[in-house]
Amino acid sequence: MADFVPVNEWGLFPAGDRPFVVAGPCSAESREQVLEAAQALRDCGTGVLRAGLWKPRTHPGGFEGVGARGLAWLQEARRASGIKVCTEVGSAAHVKACLEAGVDMVWIGARTTANPFQVQEICDALEGSDIPVLVKNPVSPDVDLWIGAIERLASSGIKKVAAVLRGFTTLDKTPYRNAPVWEMATLLGARLPKLPLFVDPSHIAGSAELVKELSQRALDLGACGLMVEVHPHPDQALSDAAQQLTPAQFGIMLSDLKVRSANCEDAGYQQALAALRAKIDDVDGRLLSLLAERMQVSRQIGVLKQEHSISIIQTGRWEAVLEAVRKEASALGLDQSMAERIFNIIHDYSVKAQD
């Protein structure tokens, strides 16, 4: 995997500290709307205007974007305000139109990331260009599918690449439109440590009221940038109206966000951190030893069940175990859902060990 160019070397964002911010309406709807959004966002200090021209819709008949004719609006917005512009691409034809129009950056949407054929078509069209590309996570929480799309870009010589966490479709109940599944960003970072990460709090939230808290959470976890939906008049938006901020709300949010440093050279901090990490390592070692012991007992149970022709899965027993886990977690001050999730994973592997 080739090295990725740091975002501060892309030449798109104003000089200064994180976060790097991409903002703008979900969809480009009219020339006037795009120009108004560009000026308002430029006044907020935003470096890049986002506006979707081609909008993949679940059902036919919905607003699917203005298409290539909106490229002229983006060009005019850039000339009038000085702001850089970007849009989503889902095909080679989209890429060709954007490159010819001089669009500054493109992104690959969640539905497209999930389709390797489409991603490869886009990569082939991008080959030889120097345009930055943002890659949103696939709809399902599949880190390999996400990485595969990024690898295809790297193989095409695209080095200005960043991932965008925009949330996932899951069966879990959450207060959000798309479950953030923050650990997916951790998995991605472990596999591609030099890859920049943006977070799209708007698509995670599904509601403008939740965008600020998700933005802060993203920065707390080390994201280098945000991709936020901002519309001059959200109540009139033709797509995703509920999750878009007004420019005024967006400006207030930016001023309130707190950015943590990536590191601290203070000797006291480093010493305390090293001591705490040593404790974590010790606890992790004991956890692994206990897991190994538990799996050994599970295998013994499997042998016993097999000898007596007993089915592996005992639903009533497992429900009783989970209830005990929830009670014990609560008594210990642990999040019950976290404990239940961990034990369900352990149970899945225990069942495999008994098979």
Side-chain angles (χ1 to χ4, degrees), residues 5-18 20 196 198 224:
V5 176
V7 179
N8 61 356
E9 297 178 14
W10 289 5
L12 296 181
F13 299 94
D17 295 330
R18 292 186 301 121
F20 303 109
F198 283 67
C224 74

PDB file of all heavy atoms in Angstrom, residues 5-18 20 196 198 224:
ATOM      1  N   VAL A   5      -0.887  10.955   1.052  1.00  0.00           N
ATOM      2  CA  VAL A   5      -0.479  12.341   1.262  1.00  0.00           C
ATOM      3  C   VAL A   5      -1.304  12.931   2.404  1.00  0.00           C
ATOM      4  O   VAL A   5      -2.539  12.821   2.401  1.00  0.00           O
ATOM      5  CB  VAL A   5      -0.697  13.166  -0.024  1.00  0.00           C
ATOM      6  CG1 VAL A   5      -0.359  14.629   0.213  1.00  0.00           C
ATOM      7  CG2 VAL A   5       0.124  12.589  -1.163  1.00  0.00           C
ATOM      8  N   PRO A   6      -0.656  13.546   3.405  1.00  0.00           N
ATOM      9  CA  PRO A   6      -1.415  14.162   4.498  1.00  0.00           C
ATOM     10  C   PRO A   6      -2.382  15.226   3.973  1.00  0.00           C
ATOM     11  O   PRO A   6      -2.101  15.908   2.984  1.00  0.00           O
ATOM     12  CB  PRO A   6      -0.321  14.793   5.378  1.00  0.00           C
ATOM     13  CG  PRO A   6       0.920  14.021   5.052  1.00  0.00           C
ATOM     14  CD  PRO A   6       0.798  13.654   3.603  1.00  0.00           C
ATOM     15  N   VAL A   7      -3.518  15.375   4.650  1.00  0.00           N
ATOM     16  CA  VAL A   7      -4.558  16.286   4.189  1.00  0.00           C
ATOM     17  C   VAL A   7      -4.063  17.731   4.120  1.00  0.00           C
ATOM     18  O   VAL A   7      -4.465  18.492   3.227  1.00  0.00           O
ATOM     19  CB  VAL A   7      -5.798  16.187   5.103  1.00  0.00           C
ATOM     20  CG1 VAL A   7      -6.881  17.152   4.642  1.00  0.00           C
ATOM     21  CG2 VAL A   7      -6.342  14.763   5.109  1.00  0.00           C
ATOM     22  N   ASN A   8      -3.174  18.115   5.031  1.00  0.00           N
ATOM     23  CA  ASN A   8      -2.694  19.503   5.015  1.00  0.00           C
ATOM     24  C   ASN A   8      -1.789  19.793   3.822  1.00  0.00           C
ATOM     25  O   ASN A   8      -1.390  20.937   3.612  1.00  0.00           O
ATOM     26  CB  ASN A   8      -1.983  19.847   6.333  1.00  0.00           C
ATOM     27  CG  ASN A   8      -0.773  18.981   6.602  1.00  0.00           C
ATOM     28  OD1 ASN A   8      -0.477  18.058   5.845  1.00  0.00           O
ATOM     29  ND2 ASN A   8      -0.073  19.261   7.672  1.00  0.00           N
ATOM     30  N   GLU A   9      -1.477  18.768   3.029  1.00  0.00           N
ATOM     31  CA  GLU A   9      -0.679  18.967   1.811  1.00  0.00           C
ATOM     32  C   GLU A   9      -1.529  18.859   0.547  1.00  0.00           C
ATOM     33  O   GLU A   9      -0.989  18.868  -0.562  1.00  0.00           O
ATOM     34  CB  GLU A   9       0.465  17.944   1.776  1.00  0.00           C
ATOM     35  CG  GLU A   9       1.465  18.099   2.924  1.00  0.00           C
ATOM     36  CD  GLU A   9       2.569  17.053   2.888  1.00  0.00           C
ATOM     37  OE1 GLU A   9       2.714  16.389   1.833  1.00  0.00           O
ATOM     38  OE2 GLU A   9       3.262  16.888   3.911  1.00  0.00           O
ATOM     39  N   TRP A  10      -2.844  18.782   0.705  1.00  0.00           N
ATOM     40  CA  TRP A  10      -3.721  18.674  -0.458  1.00  0.00           C
ATOM     41  C   TRP A  10      -3.939  20.021  -1.144  1.00  0.00           C
ATOM     42  O   TRP A  10      -4.393  20.071  -2.280  1.00  0.00           O
ATOM     43  CB  TRP A  10      -5.082  18.109  -0.050  1.00  0.00           C
ATOM     44  CG  TRP A  10      -5.061  16.659   0.323  1.00  0.00           C
ATOM     45  CD1 TRP A  10      -3.978  15.843   0.435  1.00  0.00           C
ATOM     46  CD2 TRP A  10      -6.206  15.855   0.642  1.00  0.00           C
ATOM     47  NE1 TRP A  10      -4.359  14.586   0.817  1.00  0.00           N
ATOM     48  CE2 TRP A  10      -5.737  14.562   0.948  1.00  0.00           C
ATOM     49  CE3 TRP A  10      -7.565  16.107   0.716  1.00  0.00           C
ATOM     50  CZ2 TRP A  10      -6.579  13.523   1.310  1.00  0.00           C
ATOM     51  CZ3 TRP A  10      -8.410  15.070   1.073  1.00  0.00           C
ATOM     52  CH2 TRP A  10      -7.924  13.794   1.362  1.00  0.00           C
ATOM     53  N   GLY A  11      -3.664  21.114  -0.437  1.00  0.00           N
ATOM     54  CA  GLY A  11      -3.863  22.442  -0.999  1.00  0.00           C
ATOM     55  C   GLY A  11      -5.325  22.861  -1.079  1.00  0.00           C
ATOM     56  O   GLY A  11      -5.680  23.763  -1.846  1.00  0.00           O
ATOM     57  N   LEU A  12      -6.195  22.249  -0.255  1.00  0.00           N
ATOM     58  CA  LEU A  12      -7.621  22.562  -0.294  1.00  0.00           C
ATOM     59  C   LEU A  12      -8.112  23.363   0.905  1.00  0.00           C
ATOM     60  O   LEU A  12      -9.069  24.132   0.800  1.00  0.00           O
ATOM     61  CB  LEU A  12      -8.448  21.267  -0.366  1.00  0.00           C
ATOM     62  CG  LEU A  12      -8.291  20.399  -1.610  1.00  0.00           C
ATOM     63  CD1 LEU A  12      -9.209  19.184  -1.511  1.00  0.00           C
ATOM     64  CD2 LEU A  12      -8.605  21.187  -2.859  1.00  0.00           C
ATOM     65  N   PHE A  13      -7.457  23.176   2.046  1.00  0.00           N
ATOM     66  CA  PHE A  13      -7.985  23.727   3.283  1.00  0.00           C
ATOM     67  C   PHE A  13      -7.145  24.908   3.768  1.00  0.00           C
ATOM     68  O   PHE A  13      -5.929  24.930   3.557  1.00  0.00           O
ATOM     69  CB  PHE A  13      -8.028  22.639   4.361  1.00  0.00           C
ATOM     70  CG  PHE A  13      -8.915  21.480   4.000  1.00  0.00           C
ATOM     71  CD1 PHE A  13      -8.398  20.351   3.379  1.00  0.00           C
ATOM     72  CD2 PHE A  13     -10.281  21.524   4.256  1.00  0.00           C
ATOM     73  CE1 PHE A  13      -9.204  19.280   3.033  1.00  0.00           C
ATOM     74  CE2 PHE A  13     -11.099  20.471   3.907  1.00  0.00           C
ATOM     75  CZ  PHE A  13     -10.566  19.342   3.298  1.00  0.00           C
ATOM     76  N   PRO A  14      -7.784  25.867   4.444  1.00  0.00           N
ATOM     77  CA  PRO A  14      -7.037  26.996   4.995  1.00  0.00           C
ATOM     78  C   PRO A  14      -5.975  26.511   5.967  1.00  0.00           C
ATOM     79  O   PRO A  14      -6.156  25.491   6.647  1.00  0.00           O
ATOM     80  CB  PRO A  14      -8.121  27.812   5.717  1.00  0.00           C
ATOM     81  CG  PRO A  14      -9.406  27.392   5.094  1.00  0.00           C
ATOM     82  CD  PRO A  14      -9.229  25.962   4.713  1.00  0.00           C
ATOM     83  N   ALA A  15      -4.876  27.217   6.037  1.00  0.00           N
ATOM     84  CA  ALA A  15      -3.810  26.844   6.967  1.00  0.00           C
ATOM     85  C   ALA A  15      -4.328  26.951   8.398  1.00  0.00           C
ATOM     86  O   ALA A  15      -5.149  27.802   8.728  1.00  0.00           O
ATOM     87  CB  ALA A  15      -2.604  27.761   6.779  1.00  0.00           C
ATOM     88  N   GLY A  16      -3.861  26.071   9.246  1.00  0.00           N
ATOM     89  CA  GLY A  16      -4.294  26.100  10.640  1.00  0.00           C
ATOM     90  C   GLY A  16      -4.459  24.698  11.182  1.00  0.00           C
ATOM     91  O   GLY A  16      -4.135  23.707  10.536  1.00  0.00           O
ATOM     92  N   ASP A  17      -4.972  24.628  12.379  1.00  0.00           N
ATOM     93  CA  ASP A  17      -5.131  23.350  13.054  1.00  0.00           C
ATOM     94  C   ASP A  17      -6.367  22.606  12.569  1.00  0.00           C
ATOM     95  O   ASP A  17      -7.210  23.140  11.856  1.00  0.00           O
ATOM     96  CB  ASP A  17      -5.238  23.566  14.571  1.00  0.00           C
ATOM     97  CG  ASP A  17      -3.963  24.133  15.153  1.00  0.00           C
ATOM     98  OD1 ASP A  17      -2.887  23.851  14.608  1.00  0.00           O
ATOM     99  OD2 ASP A  17      -4.050  24.851  16.158  1.00  0.00           O
ATOM    100  N   ARG A  18      -6.450  21.339  12.972  1.00  0.00           N
ATOM    101  CA  ARG A  18      -7.664  20.572  12.717  1.00  0.00           C
ATOM    102  C   ARG A  18      -8.856  21.269  13.395  1.00  0.00           C
ATOM    103  O   ARG A  18      -8.681  22.040  14.325  1.00  0.00           O
ATOM    104  CB  ARG A  18      -7.519  19.164  13.303  1.00  0.00           C
ATOM    105  CG  ARG A  18      -6.494  18.301  12.601  1.00  0.00           C
ATOM    106  CD  ARG A  18      -6.531  16.875  13.164  1.00  0.00           C
ATOM    107  NE  ARG A  18      -6.256  16.838  14.596  1.00  0.00           N
ATOM    108  CZ  ARG A  18      -7.100  16.344  15.508  1.00  0.00           C
ATOM    109  NH1 ARG A  18      -8.251  15.853  15.153  1.00  0.00           N
ATOM    110  NH2 ARG A  18      -6.781  16.342  16.786  1.00  0.00           N
ATOM    111  N   PHE A  20     -10.145  19.715   9.567  1.00  0.00           N
ATOM    112  CA  PHE A  20     -10.383  20.096   8.183  1.00  0.00           C
ATOM    113  C   PHE A  20     -11.871  19.884   7.928  1.00  0.00           C
ATOM    114  O   PHE A  20     -12.417  18.834   8.276  1.00  0.00           O
ATOM    115  CB  PHE A  20      -9.546  19.226   7.234  1.00  0.00           C
ATOM    116  CG  PHE A  20      -8.072  19.280   7.525  1.00  0.00           C
ATOM    117  CD1 PHE A  20      -7.411  18.193   8.085  1.00  0.00           C
ATOM    118  CD2 PHE A  20      -7.345  20.428   7.267  1.00  0.00           C
ATOM    119  CE1 PHE A  20      -6.056  18.236   8.359  1.00  0.00           C
ATOM    120  CE2 PHE A  20      -5.982  20.492   7.534  1.00  0.00           C
ATOM    121  CZ  PHE A  20      -5.336  19.398   8.081  1.00  0.00           C
ATOM    122  N   PRO A 196      -5.788   9.202   6.338  1.00  0.00           N
ATOM    123  CA  PRO A 196      -6.567  10.210   7.071  1.00  0.00           C
ATOM    124  C   PRO A 196      -8.022   9.773   7.214  1.00  0.00           C
ATOM    125  O   PRO A 196      -8.572   9.089   6.346  1.00  0.00           O
ATOM    126  CB  PRO A 196      -6.462  11.462   6.174  1.00  0.00           C
ATOM    127  CG  PRO A 196      -5.297  11.198   5.259  1.00  0.00           C
ATOM    128  CD  PRO A 196      -5.266   9.715   5.056  1.00  0.00           C
ATOM    129  N   PHE A 198     -11.952  11.190   8.030  1.00  0.00           N
ATOM    130  CA  PHE A 198     -12.993  12.186   8.255  1.00  0.00           C
ATOM    131  C   PHE A 198     -14.210  11.465   8.843  1.00  0.00           C
ATOM    132  O   PHE A 198     -14.345  10.246   8.701  1.00  0.00           O
ATOM    133  CB  PHE A 198     -13.413  12.850   6.936  1.00  0.00           C
ATOM    134  CG  PHE A 198     -12.463  13.888   6.406  1.00  0.00           C
ATOM    135  CD1 PHE A 198     -11.195  13.539   5.963  1.00  0.00           C
ATOM    136  CD2 PHE A 198     -12.843  15.226   6.353  1.00  0.00           C
ATOM    137  CE1 PHE A 198     -10.312  14.498   5.469  1.00  0.00           C
ATOM    138  CE2 PHE A 198     -11.976  16.195   5.856  1.00  0.00           C
ATOM    139  CZ  PHE A 198     -10.708  15.832   5.410  1.00  0.00           C
ATOM    140  N   CYS A 224      -9.385  13.605  11.682  1.00  0.00           N
ATOM    141  CA  CYS A 224      -8.693  14.828  11.250  1.00  0.00           C
ATOM    142  C   CYS A 224      -9.657  15.816  10.617  1.00  0.00           C
ATOM    143  O   CYS A 224      -9.316  16.988  10.454  1.00  0.00           O
ATOM    144  CB  CYS A 224      -7.572  14.505  10.275  1.00  0.00           C
ATOM    145  SG  CYS A 224      -8.118  14.035   8.614  1.00  0.00           S
TER     146      CYS A 224
END
